Amino acid sequence: MCSGSFAKCLGISLMPLAIVCVLCNILLFFPGGKPVEKEHITEQVWYFGGILGSGVLMIFPALVFLGLKNNDCCGCCGNESCGRRFAMLSSILFAAVGVAGAGYSVIVSAVAINEGPQCVVNITETVKFWGTPFSNGDYLSDKNIWSECLEPSGVVSWHLSLFSVLLVMGLIQMALCAVQVVNGLLACLCGDCCGGSDAV
């Protein structure tokens, strides 16, 4: 498979991952699937790891990768092969942006998973007290303490599931962008199709 076609496959793979990450981040604004006041939303949700990191910053590399198959940068001094090589080399820059964005999402997700959700920890007749009852990921190995979160219902599993999806999607995105870095370098050295008609 030629490097341009391979890059297009990577771009096609990145698009749905970016959409999933944006949706997960949006759902995190509704702990347990319920609307709450903004000060009761877990702090890491406001860092927009899924929307900005694995979402918006991943759209740019994905679009660039999608267009690489037919992009020759208008040729290079009349040499189409040279133009394609330059396009593949420039794709490495966009891949680096993708790695940085996905890396940001992974870090935010890991911190959020470790700290756990914000939830109601005590209820009196007139007041609901919100807090973050878990620390250092202690709730991950002991499901019995999830009951410390009284409301919203199911907030711990909601928080853990969505941030885990963001973490895994971010790691996959980083891997795909890293593959494009290698693909771009090979295309620069060998031409669009190593050993094919575009090789020089």
Side-chain angles (χ1 to χ4, degrees):
M1 179 185 288
C2 295
S3 55
S5 299
F6 184 67
K8 184 177 181 180
C9 290
L10 293 177
I12 291 171
S13 301
L14 286 172
M15 290 298 282
L17 295 178
I19 293 169
V20 168
C21 289
V22 170
L23 291 175
C24 284
N25 202 146
I26 291 171
L27 289 173
L28 283 163
F29 282 101
F30 304 93
K34 300 170 183 66
V36 298
E37 295 178 12
K38 65 179 183 179
E39 61 267 21
H40 299 320
I41 295 173
T42 304
E43 181 183 359
Q44 289 77 25
V45 178
W46 293 102
Y47 295 161
F48 300 108
I51 294 175
L52 292 178
S54 287
V56 174
L57 285 178
M58 196 54 62
I59 295 294
F60 296 114
L63 292 175
V64 169
F65 299 167
L66 284 171
L68 282 176
K69 183 178 180 182
N70 301 317
N71 187 357
D72 67 353
C73 287
C74 302
C76 181
C77 301
N79 186 337
E80 182 178 325
S81 177
C82 175
R84 286 195 175 167
R85 288 183 181 196
F86 179 77
M88 291 302 292
L89 183 63
S90 67
S91 76
I92 296 173
L93 215 66
F94 287 93
V97 170
V99 169
Y104 172 71
S105 180
V106 166
I107 292 170
V108 170
S109 300
V111 171
I113 289 170
N114 185 60
E115 292 188 3
Q118 186 176 168
C119 58
V120 176
V121 294
N122 191 18
I123 301 176
T124 65
E125 291 184 5
T126 56
V127 181
K128 292 181 179 180
F129 294 95
W130 289 75
T132 308
F134 312 122
S135 61
N136 299 322
D138 56 354
Y139 72 103
L140 296 173
S141 58
D142 187 2
K143 197 171 181 180
N144 294 324
I145 65 174
W146 290 15
S147 58
E148 291 181 25
C149 275
L150 305 176
E151 293 181 7
S153 177
V155 67
V156 181
S157 56
W158 184 269
H159 174 93
L160 184 57
S161 298
L162 291 173
F163 272 117
S164 294
V165 170
L166 284 175
L167 181 68
V168 171
M169 294 294 109
L171 290 172
I172 293 172
Q173 289 174 329
M174 288 176 72
L176 292 176
C177 287
V179 168
Q180 177 53 30
V181 170
V182 175
N183 184 43
L185 286 172
L186 289 176
C188 267
L189 297 173
C190 302
D192 190 44
C193 295
C194 287
S197 59
D198 290 334
V200 176

